[in-house]
């Protein structure tokens, strides 16, 4: 079961899916098959640490998915200085779609902010060196991430699982970024996220699952999977008051633009 190198206009793209995650490993072939059956034509699998670079490469070889290499801020204690050199090597040798998942996480108190920022800046420099977009983890750190994007002149990528304000959303859009929406949008209590999904420019949105994480409200008892994207597009269409067919085409084109694939 393989995904399409360039998905057709009516195909969905999961712009953030950890297909290599241990939670999905027992039935990863089934995960891919269910995604294809639900109309998902492609997905992006970002690495989170040096130890998973080869895992995402294996996902591309096995399923033809897009991949990204990066050092995730949550795994800060596992990132060694030499991993930045290794990342540089993998970006040069393996032609990923993006640098990611990278960013800042100021929610978890045990993560040293200064070292997070150092690792992020070095990865942004690598993205610029290799002319690649970036896939961002941004938790309670939007303004700081935007500061470094401006300083490093990074103007293409995705703010994954966007959960900021409308003002911050507009700042990302001005920087050239798309905003990722997914499972959180399905919760009736997520009023701010749902309002942003409904009112931000359609050209700024991409869909994601973050599988196996960010489970939707209606399926909290099992790991999230990319097939849920078919339901997410219906939720988004209802929020925006538009038909799903043009929405699917717009989201597909937005994702290609976010990854500089158009």
């Amino acid at each position: 079961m393989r995904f399409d190198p360039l998905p057709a206009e009516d195909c969905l793209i999961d712009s953030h899916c950890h297909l290599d995650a241990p939670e999905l490993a027992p039935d990863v072939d089934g995960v891919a098959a269910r995604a294809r059956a639900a109309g998902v034509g492609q997905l992006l699998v970002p690495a989170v640490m040096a130890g998973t670079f080869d895992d995402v490469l294996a996902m591309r070889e096995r399923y033809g998915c897009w991949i990204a290499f990066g050092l995730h801020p949550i795994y800060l204690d596992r990132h060694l200085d030499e991993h930045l050199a290794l990342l540089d090597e993998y970006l040069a040798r393996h032609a990923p779609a993006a640098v990611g998942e990278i960013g800042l996480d100021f929610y978890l108190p045990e993560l040293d902010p200064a070292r997070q920022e150092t690792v992020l800046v070095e990865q942004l420099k690598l993205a610029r060196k290799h002319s690649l977009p970036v896939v961002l983890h941004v938790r309670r750190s939007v303004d700081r991430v935007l500061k470094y994007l401006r300083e490093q002149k990074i103007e293409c990528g995705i703010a994954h699982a966007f959960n900021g304000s409308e003002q911050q959303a507009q700042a990302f859009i001005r920087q050239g970024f798309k905003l990722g929406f997914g499972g959180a949008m399905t919760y009736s209590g997520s009023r701010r996220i749902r309002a942003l999904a409904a009112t931000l420019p359609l050209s700024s949105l991409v869909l994601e699952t973050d599988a196996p994480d960010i489970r939707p409200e209606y399926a909290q008892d099992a790991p999230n999977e990319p097939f849920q994207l078919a339901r997410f597009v219906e939720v988004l269409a209802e929020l925006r008051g538009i038909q799903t067919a043009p929405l699917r085409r717009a989201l597909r084109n937005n994702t290609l633009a976010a990854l500089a694939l158009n």
Side-chain angles (χ1 to χ4, degrees):
M1 178 62 64
R2 293 182 66 82
F3 295 95
D4 302 325
L6 189 64
E9 283 194 355
D10 60 345
C11 278
L12 295 168
I13 301 175
D14 188 343
S15 66
H16 201 106
C17 172
H18 295 285
L19 194 62
D20 62 318
E23 296 93 326
L24 303 180
D27 187 28
V28 68
D29 285 343
V31 171
R34 287 187 289 275
R36 286 311 314 262
V40 178
Q42 187 53 271
L43 45 83
L44 177 67
V45 183
V48 296
M49 66 184 86
T52 66
F53 289 178
D54 287 337
D55 295 334
V56 299
L57 273 173
M59 292 296 102
R60 182 169 71 179
E61 181 176 351
R62 187 168 180 176
Y63 301 112
C65 50
W66 299 334
I67 61 172
F69 300 118
L71 305 176
H72 193 300
I74 285 181
Y75 303 100
L76 191 65
D77 63 341
R78 305 189 194 184
H79 304 330
L80 306 178
D81 290 344
E82 53 262 38
H83 290 166
L84 289 166
L86 183 67
L87 174 59
D88 190 11
E89 177 186 341
Y90 269 70
L91 295 174
R93 288 177 52 197
H94 296 293
V99 177
E101 179 178 354
I102 68 175
L104 298 175
D105 193 307
F106 292 165
Y107 175 73
L108 297 173
E110 66 270 24
L111 300 175
D112 177 50
R115 184 156 184 266
Q116 284 191 65
E117 292 179 34
T118 298
V119 173
L120 171 61
V121 170
E122 292 306 309
Q123 292 185 95
L124 293 178
K125 290 177 180 177
L126 290 176
R128 194 177 65 226
K129 173 183 176 180
H130 295 281
S131 300
L132 287 169
V134 298
V135 176
L136 296 169
H137 173 95
V138 187
R139 188 153 66 156
R140 296 193 180 174
S141 57
V142 173
D143 295 336
R144 203 70 177 164
V145 169
L146 283 164
K147 171 185 182 290
Y148 291 122
L149 293 177
R150 295 181 187 117
E151 287 181 357
Q152 298 301 323
K153 297 180 172 57
I154 305 296
E155 299 175 343
C156 187
I158 298 170
H160 150 62
F162 184 75
N163 188 26
S165 67
E166 182 176 0
Q167 182 180 13
Q168 290 170 330
Q170 295 295 345
F172 267 119
I173 293 167
R174 287 194 298 272
Q175 192 63 25
F177 276 68
K178 308 299 184 187
L179 308 174
F181 287 84
M185 180 182 63
T186 67
Y187 286 79
S188 57
S190 298
R191 293 188 179 91
R192 179 158 55 94
I193 291 175
R194 287 165 67 88
L196 289 171
T199 59
L200 287 172
L202 178 54
S203 60
S204 68
L205 307 184
V206 297
L207 274 188
E208 60 176 53
T209 61
D210 197 27
D213 299 319
I214 313 186
R215 301 175 183 184
E217 184 175 46
Y218 54 82
Q220 299 181 47
D221 296 331
N224 196 8
E225 290 191 26
F227 79 83
Q228 298 286 4
L229 219 61
R231 181 83 171 266
F232 292 177
V233 77
E234 293 178 356
V235 171
L236 184 57
E238 183 177 353
L239 288 172
R240 298 187 69 92
I242 60 177
Q243 297 297 311
T244 58
L247 179 58
R248 290 166 73 108
R249 290 192 294 270
L251 292 167
R252 177 257 193 194
N253 292 336
N254 293 349
T255 310
L256 295 180
L259 299 174
L261 296 173
N262 57 345

